[in-house]
Amino acid sequence: MLFAYRPEAGGLTQMPLPVDLTAALWIDLYRPLSNQAADVARLGLPVPTLADMEEIELSNRLYREGGADHMTVVLPGLSESKAPISGPVCFILSQERLITVRHHAPRPFETYPARADKVGPGCDRPERLFLGLIEEIIGRMADILEGIGRGLDDVASGIYSGGANGLQADALQSALEKVGREGDLLGRVRLGLLTVERAVSFFGQTLSDRAEGDVLRPLVKGLMRDLQALEVHADFLGSRLALTSDATLGMINLSQNVTVRIVSVVAALFMPPTLIASLYGMNFAVMPELAWQYGYPLALILMLASASGTYLFFKWKRWL
């Protein structure tokens, strides 16, 4: 799909299709078709393929070609089936326009067009549009980090207040699964912060070649400070996540220990009665109790007394 935007009344207006791409300030390509990529390439800006964008070498993600800066970042988003994934997004920034190429759906690309005139440095030039979109991306990742923090709070409150005896196995499993999901999402955000920081740093190095370089430099420094602050916050959440995961696994071990202890106690309770029954189950020729009238009731009383004595001993030792 191809979305084209032009500045209008201080904001961005989506241009109806078919569109004259030469009049567009921002061209957003989402899973572009070959003809759409060819239309953009006729503007002198070839569109990279998904394989090109997935190259991990820094020289393939941040470079200048044909007077345009190519900056590829990895952002969390949704696939076509609405599954959470991370995927590359390429920003192609020229003097005339901004082109973005993506094959998944990061949330900021849906929210930014309606908010372009309310956030960021404006959207009347490609450089300002790029910085505004980056600011929206940073804000989105900050929201995700806050959501991860709230999720860890929920898990921790249940783990620390429930106790080993207060949490059922399914609750513990659910808590561990939630910690795993939050950890996976945190990893995606940390990767996104790292790649966005590199892209913003690369853009800052080219400000001297831009007409508004001196004006935009403080904005770039502000974005870098925001990114570094979020990286510190992500590290803190990583420590909390490890602690919560260890606590959840510890509670699972305690819960299993309680179950094993109960089984062991039950087995121990039956050991003395089993010993008595085994003694009188022997086939020796001389066993006076076998002919005794009260032998059977006495054996039952001995078995009951031995089990009761074992139980009272465990209670005295506080093993139960």
Side-chain angles (χ1 to χ4, degrees), residues 58 61-62 71-75 89 91 130-131 134-135 137-138 141 188-206 219-235:
L58 198 60
R61 291 194 168 186
L62 304 171
M71 296 164 283
T72 301
V73 302
V74 179
L75 300 178
V89 177
F91 296 86
F130 169 74
L131 292 178
I134 290 294
E135 183 174 336
I137 291 171
I138 293 174
M141 287 195 284
R188 299 179 193 276
V189 173
R190 295 175 91 166
L191 178 59
L193 290 172
L194 174 64
T195 56
V196 171
E197 183 181 12
R198 287 178 174 176
V200 174
S201 177
F202 178 81
F203 175 80
Q205 296 172 8
T206 65
L219 300 175
V220 173
K221 290 182 179 179
L223 292 177
M224 291 294 291
R225 287 194 296 269
D226 292 342
L227 286 166
Q228 291 166 2
L230 288 180
E231 288 174 351
V232 173
H233 186 46
D235 291 339

Short mmCIF file of all heavy atoms in Angstrom, two decimals, residues 58 61-62 71-75 89 91 130-131 134-135 137-138 141 188-206 219-235:
data_model
loop_
_atom_site.label_atom_id
_atom_site.label_comp_id
_atom_site.label_asym_id
_atom_site.label_seq_id
_atom_site.Cartn_x
_atom_site.Cartn_y
_atom_site.Cartn_z
N LEU A 58 26.00 -2.19 9.80
CA LEU A 58 25.69 -0.79 10.01
C LEU A 58 25.77 0.01 8.72
O LEU A 58 25.00 0.95 8.50
CB LEU A 58 26.64 -0.20 11.06
CG LEU A 58 26.20 1.11 11.73
CD1 LEU A 58 24.87 0.94 12.43
CD2 LEU A 58 27.27 1.59 12.69
N ARG A 61 22.55 -0.01 6.90
CA ARG A 61 21.40 0.60 7.57
C ARG A 61 21.49 2.11 7.64
O ARG A 61 20.47 2.78 7.73
CB ARG A 61 21.26 0.02 8.98
CG ARG A 61 20.85 -1.44 8.99
CD ARG A 61 20.40 -1.89 10.35
NE ARG A 61 19.75 -3.21 10.27
CZ ARG A 61 19.16 -3.81 11.29
NH1 ARG A 61 19.13 -3.21 12.47
NH2 ARG A 61 18.58 -4.99 11.14
N LEU A 62 22.68 2.64 7.64
CA LEU A 62 22.88 4.09 7.72
C LEU A 62 23.87 4.51 6.65
O LEU A 62 25.07 4.25 6.76
CB LEU A 62 23.40 4.48 9.11
CG LEU A 62 22.57 4.04 10.32
CD1 LEU A 62 23.33 4.31 11.61
CD2 LEU A 62 21.23 4.75 10.34
N MET A 71 18.15 5.60 6.46
CA MET A 71 18.28 5.20 7.87
C MET A 71 17.26 4.10 8.16
O MET A 71 16.05 4.32 8.05
CB MET A 71 18.03 6.41 8.79
CG MET A 71 19.07 7.51 8.63
SD MET A 71 18.55 9.09 9.36
CE MET A 71 17.40 9.67 8.11
N THR A 72 17.76 2.94 8.51
CA THR A 72 16.89 1.79 8.80
C THR A 72 16.91 1.50 10.30
O THR A 72 17.99 1.37 10.89
CB THR A 72 17.35 0.54 8.03
OG1 THR A 72 17.32 0.83 6.61
CG2 THR A 72 16.42 -0.63 8.30
N VAL A 73 15.74 1.42 10.87
CA VAL A 73 15.59 1.11 12.30
C VAL A 73 14.72 -0.14 12.42
O VAL A 73 14.05 -0.54 11.47
CB VAL A 73 14.97 2.28 13.07
CG1 VAL A 73 15.83 3.53 12.93
CG2 VAL A 73 13.55 2.57 12.60
N VAL A 74 14.72 -0.73 13.60
CA VAL A 74 13.91 -1.91 13.88
C VAL A 74 12.90 -1.52 14.96
O VAL A 74 13.29 -1.15 16.07
CB VAL A 74 14.76 -3.11 14.34
CG1 VAL A 74 13.87 -4.31 14.63
CG2 VAL A 74 15.79 -3.45 13.28
N LEU A 75 11.61 -1.59 14.62
CA LEU A 75 10.56 -1.12 15.52
C LEU A 75 9.58 -2.24 15.85
O LEU A 75 9.29 -3.09 14.99
CB LEU A 75 9.79 0.04 14.88
CG LEU A 75 10.60 1.28 14.51
CD1 LEU A 75 9.69 2.31 13.86
CD2 LEU A 75 11.28 1.87 15.73
N VAL A 89 12.27 -0.69 9.45
CA VAL A 89 11.60 0.45 8.81
C VAL A 89 12.70 1.35 8.27
O VAL A 89 13.61 1.74 9.01
CB VAL A 89 10.72 1.24 9.80
CG1 VAL A 89 10.11 2.46 9.09
CG2 VAL A 89 9.62 0.36 10.37
N PHE A 91 13.88 4.87 6.57
CA PHE A 91 13.60 6.28 6.33
C PHE A 91 14.53 6.77 5.22
O PHE A 91 15.76 6.68 5.38
CB PHE A 91 13.82 7.12 7.59
CG PHE A 91 12.89 6.78 8.72
CD1 PHE A 91 13.20 5.76 9.62
CD2 PHE A 91 11.71 7.49 8.91
CE1 PHE A 91 12.35 5.47 10.67
CE2 PHE A 91 10.86 7.20 9.96
CZ PHE A 91 11.18 6.18 10.84
N PHE A 130 10.59 14.20 9.68
CA PHE A 130 11.35 13.04 10.18
C PHE A 130 11.49 13.10 11.69
O PHE A 130 11.24 12.11 12.39
CB PHE A 130 12.72 13.01 9.50
CG PHE A 130 13.69 12.04 10.12
CD1 PHE A 130 13.55 10.68 9.92
CD2 PHE A 130 14.74 12.51 10.91
CE1 PHE A 130 14.45 9.78 10.51
CE2 PHE A 130 15.63 11.63 11.49
CZ PHE A 130 15.48 10.26 11.29
N LEU A 131 11.88 14.27 12.21
CA LEU A 131 12.06 14.40 13.65
C LEU A 131 10.74 14.25 14.40
O LEU A 131 10.69 13.68 15.49
CB LEU A 131 12.71 15.75 13.98
CG LEU A 131 14.16 15.92 13.51
CD1 LEU A 131 14.66 17.32 13.85
CD2 LEU A 131 15.06 14.87 14.15
N ILE A 134 9.99 10.58 14.50
CA ILE A 134 10.87 9.94 15.48
C ILE A 134 10.38 10.23 16.90
O ILE A 134 10.37 9.34 17.77
CB ILE A 134 12.32 10.42 15.30
CG1 ILE A 134 12.90 9.87 14.00
CG2 ILE A 134 13.18 10.01 16.49
CD1 ILE A 134 13.07 8.36 13.98
N GLU A 135 9.93 11.45 17.13
CA GLU A 135 9.40 11.79 18.46
C GLU A 135 8.16 10.96 18.78
O GLU A 135 7.97 10.52 19.92
CB GLU A 135 9.07 13.28 18.53
CG GLU A 135 8.58 13.74 19.89
CD GLU A 135 8.40 15.24 19.98
OE1 GLU A 135 9.05 15.96 19.21
OE2 GLU A 135 7.60 15.68 20.82
N ILE A 137 7.57 7.98 17.62
CA ILE A 137 8.07 6.63 17.86
C ILE A 137 8.62 6.51 19.28
O ILE A 137 8.37 5.53 19.99
CB ILE A 137 9.13 6.25 16.81
CG1 ILE A 137 8.48 6.10 15.43
CG2 ILE A 137 9.87 4.98 17.21
CD1 ILE A 137 9.48 5.95 14.30
N ILE A 138 9.39 7.52 19.70
CA ILE A 138 9.94 7.50 21.05
C ILE A 138 8.82 7.51 22.08
O ILE A 138 8.86 6.79 23.09
CB ILE A 138 10.89 8.70 21.24
CG1 ILE A 138 12.12 8.54 20.35
CG2 ILE A 138 11.30 8.83 22.71
CD1 ILE A 138 13.05 9.74 20.36
N MET A 141 7.29 4.04 22.33
CA MET A 141 8.11 3.08 23.06
C MET A 141 8.11 3.41 24.56
O MET A 141 8.20 2.50 25.39
CB MET A 141 9.52 3.06 22.49
CG MET A 141 9.57 2.37 21.13
SD MET A 141 11.23 1.93 20.57
CE MET A 141 11.81 3.54 20.06
N ARG A 188 12.20 -6.29 22.37
CA ARG A 188 11.89 -5.59 21.12
C ARG A 188 12.06 -4.08 21.28
O ARG A 188 12.58 -3.41 20.38
CB ARG A 188 10.45 -5.91 20.69
CG ARG A 188 10.17 -7.38 20.43
CD ARG A 188 8.70 -7.58 20.04
NE ARG A 188 8.34 -8.98 20.07
CZ ARG A 188 8.55 -9.82 19.06
NH1 ARG A 188 9.13 -9.39 17.96
NH2 ARG A 188 8.19 -11.09 19.15
N VAL A 189 11.63 -3.56 22.42
CA VAL A 189 11.75 -2.12 22.64
C VAL A 189 13.21 -1.71 22.77
O VAL A 189 13.63 -0.68 22.23
CB VAL A 189 10.96 -1.71 23.90
CG1 VAL A 189 11.20 -0.25 24.25
CG2 VAL A 189 9.46 -1.94 23.68
N ARG A 190 14.00 -2.51 23.45
CA ARG A 190 15.42 -2.17 23.62
C ARG A 190 16.13 -2.16 22.27
O ARG A 190 16.98 -1.29 22.02
CB ARG A 190 16.08 -3.16 24.57
CG ARG A 190 15.54 -3.09 25.97
CD ARG A 190 16.13 -4.15 26.88
NE ARG A 190 17.32 -3.71 27.57
CZ ARG A 190 17.86 -4.34 28.60
NH1 ARG A 190 17.30 -5.45 29.03
NH2 ARG A 190 18.93 -3.89 29.19
N LEU A 191 15.80 -3.11 21.42
CA LEU A 191 16.37 -3.12 20.07
C LEU A 191 15.93 -1.88 19.30
O LEU A 191 16.72 -1.25 18.59
CB LEU A 191 15.96 -4.39 19.34
CG LEU A 191 16.45 -4.51 17.89
CD1 LEU A 191 17.97 -4.47 17.82
CD2 LEU A 191 15.92 -5.80 17.26
N GLY A 192 14.64 -1.51 19.44
CA GLY A 192 14.15 -0.32 18.77
C GLY A 192 14.85 0.93 19.25
O GLY A 192 15.24 1.80 18.45
N LEU A 193 15.05 1.06 20.55
CA LEU A 193 15.74 2.24 21.10
C LEU A 193 17.17 2.32 20.57
O LEU A 193 17.65 3.41 20.22
CB LEU A 193 15.74 2.18 22.63
CG LEU A 193 14.39 2.38 23.32
CD1 LEU A 193 14.53 2.09 24.82
CD2 LEU A 193 13.86 3.78 23.10
N LEU A 194 17.84 1.19 20.50
CA LEU A 194 19.22 1.17 20.02
C LEU A 194 19.30 1.63 18.57
O LEU A 194 20.14 2.48 18.21
CB LEU A 194 19.81 -0.23 20.18
CG LEU A 194 21.21 -0.44 19.59
CD1 LEU A 194 22.24 0.42 20.31
CD2 LEU A 194 21.60 -1.93 19.69
N THR A 195 18.44 1.09 17.71
CA THR A 195 18.51 1.43 16.29
C THR A 195 18.04 2.85 16.03
O THR A 195 18.59 3.54 15.17
CB THR A 195 17.68 0.43 15.47
OG1 THR A 195 16.32 0.42 15.95
CG2 THR A 195 18.25 -0.97 15.59
N VAL A 196 17.03 3.31 16.77
CA VAL A 196 16.57 4.69 16.60
C VAL A 196 17.65 5.67 17.05
O VAL A 196 17.87 6.71 16.41
CB VAL A 196 15.25 4.92 17.37
CG1 VAL A 196 14.89 6.40 17.38
CG2 VAL A 196 14.12 4.13 16.72
N GLU A 197 18.33 5.35 18.13
CA GLU A 197 19.41 6.23 18.60
C GLU A 197 20.50 6.34 17.54
O GLU A 197 21.05 7.43 17.29
CB GLU A 197 19.98 5.70 19.91
CG GLU A 197 21.07 6.60 20.49
CD GLU A 197 21.64 6.06 21.77
OE1 GLU A 197 21.36 4.89 22.10
OE2 GLU A 197 22.37 6.81 22.47
N ARG A 198 20.83 5.24 16.90
CA ARG A 198 21.83 5.28 15.84
C ARG A 198 21.36 6.14 14.67
O ARG A 198 22.14 6.92 14.10
CB ARG A 198 22.14 3.87 15.36
CG ARG A 198 22.97 3.04 16.33
CD ARG A 198 23.19 1.64 15.80
NE ARG A 198 24.10 0.87 16.63
CZ ARG A 198 24.40 -0.41 16.42
NH1 ARG A 198 23.86 -1.05 15.40
NH2 ARG A 198 25.24 -1.04 17.22
N ALA A 199 20.09 6.01 14.32
CA ALA A 199 19.57 6.78 13.20
C ALA A 199 19.57 8.28 13.52
O ALA A 199 19.94 9.11 12.68
CB ALA A 199 18.15 6.31 12.85
N VAL A 200 19.14 8.64 14.73
CA VAL A 200 19.12 10.05 15.11
C VAL A 200 20.54 10.60 15.17
O VAL A 200 20.79 11.75 14.77
CB VAL A 200 18.39 10.22 16.46
CG1 VAL A 200 18.50 11.66 16.95
CG2 VAL A 200 16.92 9.83 16.32
N SER A 201 21.48 9.80 15.67
CA SER A 201 22.88 10.24 15.71
C SER A 201 23.41 10.45 14.29
O SER A 201 24.12 11.44 14.02
CB SER A 201 23.72 9.19 16.44
OG SER A 201 25.08 9.55 16.44
N PHE A 202 23.07 9.55 13.38
CA PHE A 202 23.49 9.71 11.98
C PHE A 202 22.89 10.96 11.37
O PHE A 202 23.56 11.72 10.67
CB PHE A 202 23.08 8.47 11.19
CG PHE A 202 23.41 8.54 9.72
CD1 PHE A 202 24.68 8.25 9.27
CD2 PHE A 202 22.44 8.90 8.79
CE1 PHE A 202 24.98 8.31 7.91
CE2 PHE A 202 22.73 8.95 7.44
CZ PHE A 202 24.00 8.67 7.00
N PHE A 203 21.62 11.22 11.66
CA PHE A 203 20.97 12.42 11.17
C PHE A 203 21.64 13.67 11.74
O PHE A 203 21.83 14.66 11.04
CB PHE A 203 19.48 12.40 11.52
CG PHE A 203 18.76 13.66 11.15
CD1 PHE A 203 18.34 13.89 9.86
CD2 PHE A 203 18.47 14.62 12.12
CE1 PHE A 203 17.67 15.06 9.52
CE2 PHE A 203 17.79 15.77 11.80
CZ PHE A 203 17.40 16.00 10.50
N GLY A 204 22.02 13.63 13.01
CA GLY A 204 22.68 14.78 13.62
C GLY A 204 24.02 15.09 12.98
O GLY A 204 24.43 16.26 12.92
N GLN A 205 24.70 14.06 12.47
CA GLN A 205 25.99 14.30 11.82
C GLN A 205 25.85 14.99 10.47
O GLN A 205 26.83 15.54 9.96
CB GLN A 205 26.72 12.97 11.65
CG GLN A 205 27.08 12.29 12.97
CD GLN A 205 27.62 10.89 12.76
OE1 GLN A 205 27.87 10.47 11.63
NE2 GLN A 205 27.79 10.15 13.85
N THR A 206 24.65 14.95 9.90
CA THR A 206 24.44 15.58 8.57
C THR A 206 23.77 16.94 8.68
O THR A 206 23.43 17.52 7.64
CB THR A 206 23.56 14.65 7.70
OG1 THR A 206 22.25 14.55 8.28
CG2 THR A 206 24.18 13.27 7.59
N LEU A 219 16.86 20.19 18.80
CA LEU A 219 15.82 19.16 18.78
C LEU A 219 16.43 17.76 18.75
O LEU A 219 15.95 16.85 19.42
CB LEU A 219 14.90 19.38 17.57
CG LEU A 219 14.17 20.72 17.52
CD1 LEU A 219 13.40 20.84 16.21
CD2 LEU A 219 13.23 20.87 18.70
N VAL A 220 17.49 17.63 17.96
CA VAL A 220 18.17 16.33 17.89
C VAL A 220 18.78 15.97 19.24
O VAL A 220 18.68 14.82 19.70
CB VAL A 220 19.25 16.36 16.79
CG1 VAL A 220 20.09 15.08 16.82
CG2 VAL A 220 18.60 16.51 15.41
N LYS A 221 19.39 16.96 19.89
CA LYS A 221 19.97 16.69 21.21
C LYS A 221 18.88 16.30 22.21
O LYS A 221 19.09 15.42 23.06
CB LYS A 221 20.73 17.92 21.70
CG LYS A 221 22.01 18.20 20.92
CD LYS A 221 22.74 19.41 21.48
CE LYS A 221 24.04 19.67 20.72
NZ LYS A 221 24.75 20.88 21.25
N GLY A 222 17.72 16.94 22.12
CA GLY A 222 16.62 16.57 23.01
C GLY A 222 16.14 15.15 22.78
O GLY A 222 15.86 14.41 23.73
N LEU A 223 16.05 14.75 21.52
CA LEU A 223 15.64 13.38 21.21
C LEU A 223 16.68 12.37 21.71
O LEU A 223 16.33 11.30 22.21
CB LEU A 223 15.44 13.22 19.70
CG LEU A 223 14.25 13.97 19.09
CD1 LEU A 223 14.22 13.77 17.58
CD2 LEU A 223 12.93 13.51 19.71
N MET A 224 17.95 12.73 21.58
CA MET A 224 18.99 11.82 22.07
C MET A 224 18.90 11.66 23.58
O MET A 224 19.07 10.55 24.11
CB MET A 224 20.37 12.36 21.66
CG MET A 224 20.65 12.29 20.17
SD MET A 224 20.76 10.59 19.56
CE MET A 224 22.28 10.05 20.33
N ARG A 225 18.61 12.76 24.30
CA ARG A 225 18.46 12.65 25.75
C ARG A 225 17.26 11.77 26.11
O ARG A 225 17.32 10.96 27.05
CB ARG A 225 18.30 14.04 26.37
CG ARG A 225 19.59 14.85 26.41
CD ARG A 225 19.44 16.05 27.32
NE ARG A 225 18.43 16.98 26.83
CZ ARG A 225 18.68 18.01 26.01
NH1 ARG A 225 19.93 18.23 25.62
NH2 ARG A 225 17.72 18.81 25.62
N ASP A 226 16.16 11.92 25.36
CA ASP A 226 14.99 11.08 25.61
C ASP A 226 15.32 9.61 25.38
O ASP A 226 14.91 8.74 26.16
CB ASP A 226 13.84 11.51 24.71
CG ASP A 226 13.29 12.88 25.07
OD1 ASP A 226 13.56 13.35 26.19
OD2 ASP A 226 12.61 13.50 24.22
N LEU A 227 16.03 9.33 24.30
CA LEU A 227 16.39 7.95 23.99
C LEU A 227 17.28 7.36 25.07
O LEU A 227 17.09 6.21 25.51
CB LEU A 227 17.08 7.88 22.63
CG LEU A 227 16.18 8.05 21.40
CD1 LEU A 227 17.03 8.31 20.16
CD2 LEU A 227 15.30 6.83 21.20
N GLN A 228 18.26 8.12 25.53
CA GLN A 228 19.16 7.62 26.57
C GLN A 228 18.42 7.40 27.88
O GLN A 228 18.69 6.43 28.60
CB GLN A 228 20.32 8.60 26.74
CG GLN A 228 21.25 8.63 25.53
CD GLN A 228 22.18 9.82 25.53
OE1 GLN A 228 22.16 10.64 26.46
NE2 GLN A 228 23.01 9.94 24.51
N ALA A 229 17.46 8.30 28.19
CA ALA A 229 16.67 8.11 29.41
C ALA A 229 15.82 6.85 29.32
O ALA A 229 15.69 6.10 30.30
CB ALA A 229 15.79 9.33 29.65
N LEU A 230 15.24 6.59 28.14
CA LEU A 230 14.44 5.39 27.97
C LEU A 230 15.30 4.13 28.03
O LEU A 230 14.85 3.08 28.51
CB LEU A 230 13.68 5.44 26.65
CG LEU A 230 12.52 6.43 26.57
CD1 LEU A 230 11.85 6.37 25.20
CD2 LEU A 230 11.48 6.15 27.65
N GLU A 231 16.52 4.22 27.55
CA GLU A 231 17.42 3.06 27.64
C GLU A 231 17.74 2.73 29.09
O GLU A 231 17.79 1.56 29.48
CB GLU A 231 18.70 3.34 26.85
CG GLU A 231 18.50 3.33 25.33
CD GLU A 231 19.74 3.76 24.59
OE1 GLU A 231 20.70 4.22 25.25
OE2 GLU A 231 19.77 3.64 23.35
N VAL A 232 17.94 3.78 29.90
CA VAL A 232 18.17 3.55 31.34
C VAL A 232 16.93 2.92 31.97
O VAL A 232 17.02 1.99 32.78
CB VAL A 232 18.53 4.87 32.03
CG1 VAL A 232 18.60 4.68 33.54
CG2 VAL A 232 19.87 5.40 31.51
N HIS A 233 15.77 3.43 31.60
CA HIS A 233 14.52 2.88 32.13
C HIS A 233 14.34 1.42 31.69
O HIS A 233 13.88 0.58 32.47
CB HIS A 233 13.34 3.72 31.65
CG HIS A 233 12.03 3.33 32.26
ND1 HIS A 233 11.87 3.10 33.61
CD2 HIS A 233 10.81 3.12 31.70
CE1 HIS A 233 10.61 2.77 33.85
NE2 HIS A 233 9.95 2.76 32.72
N ALA A 234 14.71 1.13 30.44
CA ALA A 234 14.60 -0.25 29.94
C ALA A 234 15.55 -1.17 30.71
O ALA A 234 15.20 -2.32 31.02
CB ALA A 234 14.91 -0.29 28.45
N ASP A 235 16.75 -0.68 31.04
CA ASP A 235 17.68 -1.49 31.83
C ASP A 235 17.10 -1.77 33.22
O ASP A 235 17.23 -2.88 33.76
CB ASP A 235 19.02 -0.77 31.96
CG ASP A 235 19.77 -0.72 30.64
OD1 ASP A 235 19.46 -1.54 29.76
OD2 ASP A 235 20.64 0.16 30.48
#
